[in-house]
Amino acid sequence: MPGGAIEAYPLVREIFEAVAAKVDDEPCVSWLGPGAAGHYVKMVHNGIEYGLMQLIAESYHVMKHGLGLDNRRLQETYRQWSRGALSGFLMEITAEIFGRQDEHTGLDLVDEILDAARQKGTGMWTTQQALALQVPTPNIDLAVMMRDLSARREERQRAAELLRTSLPTFQGDIKEAVNTLAGALNAAFILTYAQGMALLREASVTSGYGLRLATVARIWRGGCIIRAALLDDLREVYLSAPELDNPLLAPSLASRLLQQQNQLRRTVVLAAQLGIPTAGLMGALAYFDSYRSSRLPTNLIQAQRDYFGAHTYERVDSPGTFHTEWQRS
Amino acid sequence: MPGGAIEAYPLVREIFEAVAAKVDDEPCVSWLGPGAAGHYVKMVHNGIEYGLMQLIAESYHVMKHGLGLDNRRLQETYRQWSRGALSGFLMEITAEIFGRQDEHTGLDLVDEILDAARQKGTGMWTTQQALALQVPTPNIDLAVMMRDLSARREERQRAAELLRTSLPTFQGDIKEAVNTLAGALNAAFILTYAQGMALLREASVTSGYGLRLATVARIWRGGCIIRAALLDDLREVYLSAPELDNPLLAPSLASRLLQQQNQLRRTVVLAAQLGIPTAGLMGALAYFDSYRSSRLPTNLIQAQRDYFGAHTYERVDSPGTFHTEWQRS
């Protein structure tokens, strides 16, 4: 709406609400804020979408090449996941994809599709925005990176020959490993949504969008690619704390992550040992462990910067900026 | 030089070479190419610098909080590392930093420095360029991300309270873990330089810089922050294969990585179990395991994109683009 709230145009609002998808009788559409607010929210939606899709792809890789599951077991697993805590549109269509046969060859269609991802740019824009606003969004960044890496298919074929190696094969209980992976995926999903919401919060403050993040979570629950059960929880978080910097600071989500973190750790450990690439799961774990670190090793980075470039540093015991003549010592 | 090679200005060249740092009697300065070629190379130099600094900071975190080493042992370790395969300027100054006392308090200065990183933007520019040219540079991207995350210090203090948990403490042999970490760091360093060189190669082709990467490796050996023993090896790689897409495709570097990969895996496993954030080490491992994957799970991402947005996909068995009416099944 040019220059004002949709409230000034009741008929437009009525039409939008009539045609929109609805969840619990609430239309999944809303005026979000002035200027580019609506476009910005849609961009971040897509960034989160990239992050979730990368994580699901990694779960596929772990189950197929790590645990040796065939497409039938994969379909069953994703169907089961699409009914529980992991439920959402992307999980549903993943289950359907594994059940689809190619009309021409009769083979499972998913196996006939080339592993080189394309993109329209919205994931990259989200990462660029996160960089500009200095908001950490590793799961979105790494998802974009992995699409770029997957597209270098010919290079990968050459590297696969040169960097061939023998790694241990999986020896444990498959059912347990799949359950562990489900918890890992759930934790990584929460962390990915959190990164996107934190970016929206920062952009809202910086650009004066005045976003109500509870409304964003509400309208994402229907008609959107990232619609998922988790958005109900995010909505609750922002209804009680509309100005939270990051949803991980909400006790409800924090306690869920504390329950699932060991499953995330165990899945990362398994993937590292088996040689299955899991940039997203690892990025989620690194984000989690960094965000909850009251002390990071960045003091060393600040010391190095001051050493070689006199970039100064701050101190833990007094305000101001300081410089040391390191080489005199 | 405006519009031409430095060869047209012999006196300027003589002055540059006279004042430049020298390694093995060769001046660490050269005309690199037309247009912004020189600035571009310097930008990527700084991107690699961000990546290396993040990795060193993670090694500090693992040794201090994971293995319980004090600053004296850290100083010894970094001094030792600065003499072997890991040798380089950043390793040398890191050893010196751990030996420096604060003049006012008499305490180790590194412990008095605030763990909130600043930046001047060159790391971010490198990531932005990598995004634009679709070259995967996860170690540079994650280093920028971690500086941004470290700067959110007040949020981290709150998260540390909410996300406090008890994880196992280290039980193994400390000396062995430190040696394993050295190998991990070496592998991650190689992977970080490789990402930067791959970006330079792509930019050189795209922007017509005509970069000779052997020359880039040569001049980075002296007077630069990322100068390190490894640059001699990179120079050799590009002397024999000037147009290599990625230095990991050189048998010499590939075989080194194959020797060190298990140390990288074991360090990532240890950090995941102990809860020490290692975005860079994990990003390096994910890059390595992705790059050497002849088959990535990106076929699923392409299927999902075609399912929800009719974005089409390619096939493994025939050229062209294809679309499936997924919902009819």
Side-chain angles (χ1 to χ4, degrees), chain B residues 251-273:
Chain B
S252 59
L253 284 188
S255 72
R256 265 175 73 172
L257 278 173
L258 285 176
Q259 281 163 32
Q260 290 159 340
Q261 60 159 340
N262 275 321
Q263 295 173 298
L264 182 54
R265 291 186 201 289
R266 279 158 55 199
T267 302
V268 163
V269 165
L270 181 70
Q273 288 167 337

PDB file of all heavy atoms in Angstrom, chain B residues 251-273:
ATOM      1  N   PRO B 251      47.440 -32.903  -7.460  1.00  0.00           N
ATOM      2  CA  PRO B 251      47.734 -34.136  -6.705  1.00  0.00           C
ATOM      3  C   PRO B 251      48.561 -33.876  -5.440  1.00  0.00           C
ATOM      4  O   PRO B 251      48.346 -34.546  -4.423  1.00  0.00           O
ATOM      5  CB  PRO B 251      48.505 -34.980  -7.721  1.00  0.00           C
ATOM      6  CG  PRO B 251      48.007 -34.517  -9.057  1.00  0.00           C
ATOM      7  CD  PRO B 251      47.766 -33.048  -8.894  1.00  0.00           C
ATOM      8  N   SER B 252      49.484 -32.910  -5.475  1.00  0.00           N
ATOM      9  CA  SER B 252      50.335 -32.677  -4.296  1.00  0.00           C
ATOM     10  C   SER B 252      49.505 -32.229  -3.092  1.00  0.00           C
ATOM     11  O   SER B 252      49.671 -32.739  -1.980  1.00  0.00           O
ATOM     12  CB  SER B 252      51.398 -31.624  -4.620  1.00  0.00           C
ATOM     13  OG  SER B 252      50.794 -30.396  -5.013  1.00  0.00           O
ATOM     14  N   LEU B 253      48.597 -31.269  -3.299  1.00  0.00           N
ATOM     15  CA  LEU B 253      47.767 -30.803  -2.182  1.00  0.00           C
ATOM     16  C   LEU B 253      46.729 -31.855  -1.802  1.00  0.00           C
ATOM     17  O   LEU B 253      46.415 -32.043  -0.617  1.00  0.00           O
ATOM     18  CB  LEU B 253      47.070 -29.489  -2.528  1.00  0.00           C
ATOM     19  CG  LEU B 253      47.944 -28.229  -2.496  1.00  0.00           C
ATOM     20  CD1 LEU B 253      47.082 -26.990  -2.662  1.00  0.00           C
ATOM     21  CD2 LEU B 253      48.751 -28.137  -1.207  1.00  0.00           C
ATOM     22  N   ALA B 254      46.176 -32.531  -2.799  1.00  0.00           N
ATOM     23  CA  ALA B 254      45.175 -33.570  -2.518  1.00  0.00           C
ATOM     24  C   ALA B 254      45.762 -34.630  -1.600  1.00  0.00           C
ATOM     25  O   ALA B 254      45.119 -35.045  -0.625  1.00  0.00           O
ATOM     26  CB  ALA B 254      44.679 -34.183  -3.829  1.00  0.00           C
ATOM     27  N   SER B 255      47.004 -35.047  -1.874  1.00  0.00           N
ATOM     28  CA  SER B 255      47.552 -36.128  -1.041  1.00  0.00           C
ATOM     29  C   SER B 255      47.850 -35.627   0.373  1.00  0.00           C
ATOM     30  O   SER B 255      47.718 -36.375   1.343  1.00  0.00           O
ATOM     31  CB  SER B 255      48.775 -36.758  -1.702  1.00  0.00           C
ATOM     32  OG  SER B 255      49.853 -35.874  -1.644  1.00  0.00           O
ATOM     33  N   ARG B 256      48.229 -34.358   0.504  1.00  0.00           N
ATOM     34  CA  ARG B 256      48.412 -33.819   1.863  1.00  0.00           C
ATOM     35  C   ARG B 256      47.100 -33.822   2.634  1.00  0.00           C
ATOM     36  O   ARG B 256      47.048 -34.170   3.820  1.00  0.00           O
ATOM     37  CB  ARG B 256      48.952 -32.388   1.794  1.00  0.00           C
ATOM     38  CG  ARG B 256      50.463 -32.358   1.906  1.00  0.00           C
ATOM     39  CD  ARG B 256      51.011 -30.997   1.728  1.00  0.00           C
ATOM     40  NE  ARG B 256      50.781 -30.107   2.869  1.00  0.00           N
ATOM     41  CZ  ARG B 256      51.335 -28.907   2.960  1.00  0.00           C
ATOM     42  NH1 ARG B 256      52.138 -28.480   1.994  1.00  0.00           N
ATOM     43  NH2 ARG B 256      51.098 -28.142   4.002  1.00  0.00           N
ATOM     44  N   LEU B 257      46.030 -33.418   1.954  1.00  0.00           N
ATOM     45  CA  LEU B 257      44.725 -33.388   2.621  1.00  0.00           C
ATOM     46  C   LEU B 257      44.265 -34.784   3.014  1.00  0.00           C
ATOM     47  O   LEU B 257      43.678 -34.978   4.077  1.00  0.00           O
ATOM     48  CB  LEU B 257      43.686 -32.728   1.718  1.00  0.00           C
ATOM     49  CG  LEU B 257      43.687 -31.211   1.757  1.00  0.00           C
ATOM     50  CD1 LEU B 257      42.741 -30.667   0.704  1.00  0.00           C
ATOM     51  CD2 LEU B 257      43.276 -30.708   3.142  1.00  0.00           C
ATOM     52  N   LEU B 258      44.537 -35.736   2.149  1.00  0.00           N
ATOM     53  CA  LEU B 258      44.136 -37.108   2.472  1.00  0.00           C
ATOM     54  C   LEU B 258      44.867 -37.611   3.718  1.00  0.00           C
ATOM     55  O   LEU B 258      44.321 -38.383   4.499  1.00  0.00           O
ATOM     56  CB  LEU B 258      44.390 -38.031   1.279  1.00  0.00           C
ATOM     57  CG  LEU B 258      43.387 -37.871   0.133  1.00  0.00           C
ATOM     58  CD1 LEU B 258      43.757 -38.746  -1.049  1.00  0.00           C
ATOM     59  CD2 LEU B 258      41.964 -38.184   0.600  1.00  0.00           C
ATOM     60  N   GLN B 259      46.103 -37.134   3.903  1.00  0.00           N
ATOM     61  CA  GLN B 259      46.835 -37.527   5.114  1.00  0.00           C
ATOM     62  C   GLN B 259      46.263 -36.861   6.364  1.00  0.00           C
ATOM     63  O   GLN B 259      46.304 -37.427   7.449  1.00  0.00           O
ATOM     64  CB  GLN B 259      48.306 -37.133   4.988  1.00  0.00           C
ATOM     65  CG  GLN B 259      49.138 -38.079   4.130  1.00  0.00           C
ATOM     66  CD  GLN B 259      50.444 -37.431   3.709  1.00  0.00           C
ATOM     67  OE1 GLN B 259      51.003 -36.617   4.433  1.00  0.00           O
ATOM     68  NE2 GLN B 259      50.914 -37.780   2.529  1.00  0.00           N
ATOM     69  N   GLN B 260      45.782 -35.615   6.207  1.00  0.00           N
ATOM     70  CA  GLN B 260      45.371 -34.852   7.391  1.00  0.00           C
ATOM     71  C   GLN B 260      43.883 -34.922   7.696  1.00  0.00           C
ATOM     72  O   GLN B 260      43.440 -34.487   8.759  1.00  0.00           O
ATOM     73  CB  GLN B 260      45.762 -33.383   7.203  1.00  0.00           C
ATOM     74  CG  GLN B 260      47.264 -33.177   7.273  1.00  0.00           C
ATOM     75  CD  GLN B 260      47.693 -31.900   6.607  1.00  0.00           C
ATOM     76  OE1 GLN B 260      46.967 -31.347   5.779  1.00  0.00           O
ATOM     77  NE2 GLN B 260      48.865 -31.436   6.950  1.00  0.00           N
ATOM     78  N   GLN B 261      43.091 -35.450   6.773  1.00  0.00           N
ATOM     79  CA  GLN B 261      41.643 -35.407   6.952  1.00  0.00           C
ATOM     80  C   GLN B 261      41.192 -36.068   8.249  1.00  0.00           C
ATOM     81  O   GLN B 261      40.259 -35.597   8.888  1.00  0.00           O
ATOM     82  CB  GLN B 261      40.946 -36.048   5.762  1.00  0.00           C
ATOM     83  CG  GLN B 261      41.342 -37.482   5.574  1.00  0.00           C
ATOM     84  CD  GLN B 261      40.332 -38.272   4.771  1.00  0.00           C
ATOM     85  OE1 GLN B 261      39.176 -37.893   4.653  1.00  0.00           O
ATOM     86  NE2 GLN B 261      40.784 -39.381   4.238  1.00  0.00           N
ATOM     87  N   ASN B 262      41.848 -37.160   8.633  1.00  0.00           N
ATOM     88  CA  ASN B 262      41.384 -37.831   9.849  1.00  0.00           C
ATOM     89  C   ASN B 262      41.603 -36.973  11.083  1.00  0.00           C
ATOM     90  O   ASN B 262      40.823 -37.027  12.037  1.00  0.00           O
ATOM     91  CB  ASN B 262      42.049 -39.197  10.000  1.00  0.00           C
ATOM     92  CG  ASN B 262      41.292 -40.247   9.212  1.00  0.00           C
ATOM     93  OD1 ASN B 262      40.065 -40.219   9.180  1.00  0.00           O
ATOM     94  ND2 ASN B 262      42.013 -41.141   8.552  1.00  0.00           N
ATOM     95  N   GLN B 263      42.671 -36.177  11.061  1.00  0.00           N
ATOM     96  CA  GLN B 263      42.908 -35.272  12.189  1.00  0.00           C
ATOM     97  C   GLN B 263      41.841 -34.173  12.223  1.00  0.00           C
ATOM     98  O   GLN B 263      41.382 -33.776  13.296  1.00  0.00           O
ATOM     99  CB  GLN B 263      44.316 -34.686  12.095  1.00  0.00           C
ATOM    100  CG  GLN B 263      45.375 -35.786  12.261  1.00  0.00           C
ATOM    101  CD  GLN B 263      46.778 -35.282  12.017  1.00  0.00           C
ATOM    102  OE1 GLN B 263      47.110 -34.829  10.938  1.00  0.00           O
ATOM    103  NE2 GLN B 263      47.604 -35.355  13.045  1.00  0.00           N
ATOM    104  N   LEU B 264      41.440 -33.724  11.027  1.00  0.00           N
ATOM    105  CA  LEU B 264      40.356 -32.733  10.979  1.00  0.00           C
ATOM    106  C   LEU B 264      39.053 -33.358  11.493  1.00  0.00           C
ATOM    107  O   LEU B 264      38.334 -32.757  12.302  1.00  0.00           O
ATOM    108  CB  LEU B 264      40.202 -32.223   9.543  1.00  0.00           C
ATOM    109  CG  LEU B 264      39.145 -31.151   9.285  1.00  0.00           C
ATOM    110  CD1 LEU B 264      39.316 -29.939  10.192  1.00  0.00           C
ATOM    111  CD2 LEU B 264      39.164 -30.708   7.818  1.00  0.00           C
ATOM    112  N   ARG B 265      38.764 -34.570  11.063  1.00  0.00           N
ATOM    113  CA  ARG B 265      37.542 -35.248  11.541  1.00  0.00           C
ATOM    114  C   ARG B 265      37.559 -35.413  13.059  1.00  0.00           C
ATOM    115  O   ARG B 265      36.582 -35.165  13.751  1.00  0.00           O
ATOM    116  CB  ARG B 265      37.420 -36.644  10.905  1.00  0.00           C
ATOM    117  CG  ARG B 265      37.139 -36.610   9.433  1.00  0.00           C
ATOM    118  CD  ARG B 265      36.875 -37.982   8.821  1.00  0.00           C
ATOM    119  NE  ARG B 265      37.110 -37.884   7.384  1.00  0.00           N
ATOM    120  CZ  ARG B 265      36.308 -37.226   6.541  1.00  0.00           C
ATOM    121  NH1 ARG B 265      35.210 -36.647   6.987  1.00  0.00           N
ATOM    122  NH2 ARG B 265      36.593 -37.136   5.269  1.00  0.00           N
ATOM    123  N   ARG B 266      38.703 -35.889  13.585  1.00  0.00           N
ATOM    124  CA  ARG B 266      38.764 -36.150  15.019  1.00  0.00           C
ATOM    125  C   ARG B 266      38.644 -34.864  15.827  1.00  0.00           C
ATOM    126  O   ARG B 266      38.038 -34.859  16.912  1.00  0.00           O
ATOM    127  CB  ARG B 266      40.056 -36.899  15.360  1.00  0.00           C
ATOM    128  CG  ARG B 266      39.921 -38.396  15.070  1.00  0.00           C
ATOM    129  CD  ARG B 266      41.251 -39.094  14.881  1.00  0.00           C
ATOM    130  NE  ARG B 266      42.143 -38.902  16.005  1.00  0.00           N
ATOM    131  CZ  ARG B 266      43.466 -39.090  15.945  1.00  0.00           C
ATOM    132  NH1 ARG B 266      44.030 -39.459  14.815  1.00  0.00           N
ATOM    133  NH2 ARG B 266      44.201 -38.915  17.010  1.00  0.00           N
ATOM    134  N   THR B 267      39.194 -33.771  15.317  1.00  0.00           N
ATOM    135  CA  THR B 267      39.081 -32.504  16.041  1.00  0.00           C
ATOM    136  C   THR B 267      37.640 -31.990  16.025  1.00  0.00           C
ATOM    137  O   THR B 267      37.138 -31.485  17.038  1.00  0.00           O
ATOM    138  CB  THR B 267      40.050 -31.465  15.442  1.00  0.00           C
ATOM    139  OG1 THR B 267      41.380 -31.989  15.525  1.00  0.00           O
ATOM    140  CG2 THR B 267      39.980 -30.150  16.187  1.00  0.00           C
ATOM    141  N   VAL B 268      36.971 -32.128  14.876  1.00  0.00           N
ATOM    142  CA  VAL B 268      35.567 -31.719  14.790  1.00  0.00           C
ATOM    143  C   VAL B 268      34.712 -32.563  15.742  1.00  0.00           C
ATOM    144  O   VAL B 268      33.845 -32.044  16.459  1.00  0.00           O
ATOM    145  CB  VAL B 268      35.059 -31.836  13.332  1.00  0.00           C
ATOM    146  CG1 VAL B 268      33.536 -31.828  13.266  1.00  0.00           C
ATOM    147  CG2 VAL B 268      35.630 -30.699  12.481  1.00  0.00           C
ATOM    148  N   VAL B 269      34.978 -33.864  15.783  1.00  0.00           N
ATOM    149  CA  VAL B 269      34.241 -34.760  16.679  1.00  0.00           C
ATOM    150  C   VAL B 269      34.449 -34.331  18.131  1.00  0.00           C
ATOM    151  O   VAL B 269      33.486 -34.196  18.905  1.00  0.00           O
ATOM    152  CB  VAL B 269      34.695 -36.229  16.461  1.00  0.00           C
ATOM    153  CG1 VAL B 269      34.233 -37.123  17.607  1.00  0.00           C
ATOM    154  CG2 VAL B 269      34.170 -36.747  15.121  1.00  0.00           C
ATOM    155  N   LEU B 270      35.691 -34.066  18.488  1.00  0.00           N
ATOM    156  CA  LEU B 270      35.994 -33.654  19.863  1.00  0.00           C
ATOM    157  C   LEU B 270      35.271 -32.354  20.218  1.00  0.00           C
ATOM    158  O   LEU B 270      34.641 -32.243  21.275  1.00  0.00           O
ATOM    159  CB  LEU B 270      37.514 -33.481  20.018  1.00  0.00           C
ATOM    160  CG  LEU B 270      37.982 -33.085  21.414  1.00  0.00           C
ATOM    161  CD1 LEU B 270      37.799 -34.231  22.397  1.00  0.00           C
ATOM    162  CD2 LEU B 270      39.453 -32.639  21.393  1.00  0.00           C
ATOM    163  N   ALA B 271      35.348 -31.372  19.329  1.00  0.00           N
ATOM    164  CA  ALA B 271      34.725 -30.075  19.598  1.00  0.00           C
ATOM    165  C   ALA B 271      33.212 -30.210  19.720  1.00  0.00           C
ATOM    166  O   ALA B 271      32.588 -29.577  20.586  1.00  0.00           O
ATOM    167  CB  ALA B 271      35.093 -29.082  18.499  1.00  0.00           C
ATOM    168  N   ALA B 272      32.602 -31.040  18.871  1.00  0.00           N
ATOM    169  CA  ALA B 272      31.150 -31.234  18.932  1.00  0.00           C
ATOM    170  C   ALA B 272      30.760 -31.864  20.262  1.00  0.00           C
ATOM    171  O   ALA B 272      29.759 -31.485  20.873  1.00  0.00           O
ATOM    172  CB  ALA B 272      30.690 -32.120  17.767  1.00  0.00           C
ATOM    173  N   GLN B 273      31.556 -32.814  20.716  1.00  0.00           N
ATOM    174  CA  GLN B 273      31.238 -33.492  21.978  1.00  0.00           C
ATOM    175  C   GLN B 273      31.436 -32.577  23.184  1.00  0.00           C
ATOM    176  O   GLN B 273      30.665 -32.619  24.142  1.00  0.00           O
ATOM    177  CB  GLN B 273      32.109 -34.748  22.112  1.00  0.00           C
ATOM    178  CG  GLN B 273      31.679 -35.854  21.157  1.00  0.00           C
ATOM    179  CD  GLN B 273      32.694 -36.977  21.040  1.00  0.00           C
ATOM    180  OE1 GLN B 273      33.884 -36.783  21.317  1.00  0.00           O
ATOM    181  NE2 GLN B 273      32.247 -38.149  20.618  1.00  0.00           N
TER     182      GLN B 273
END
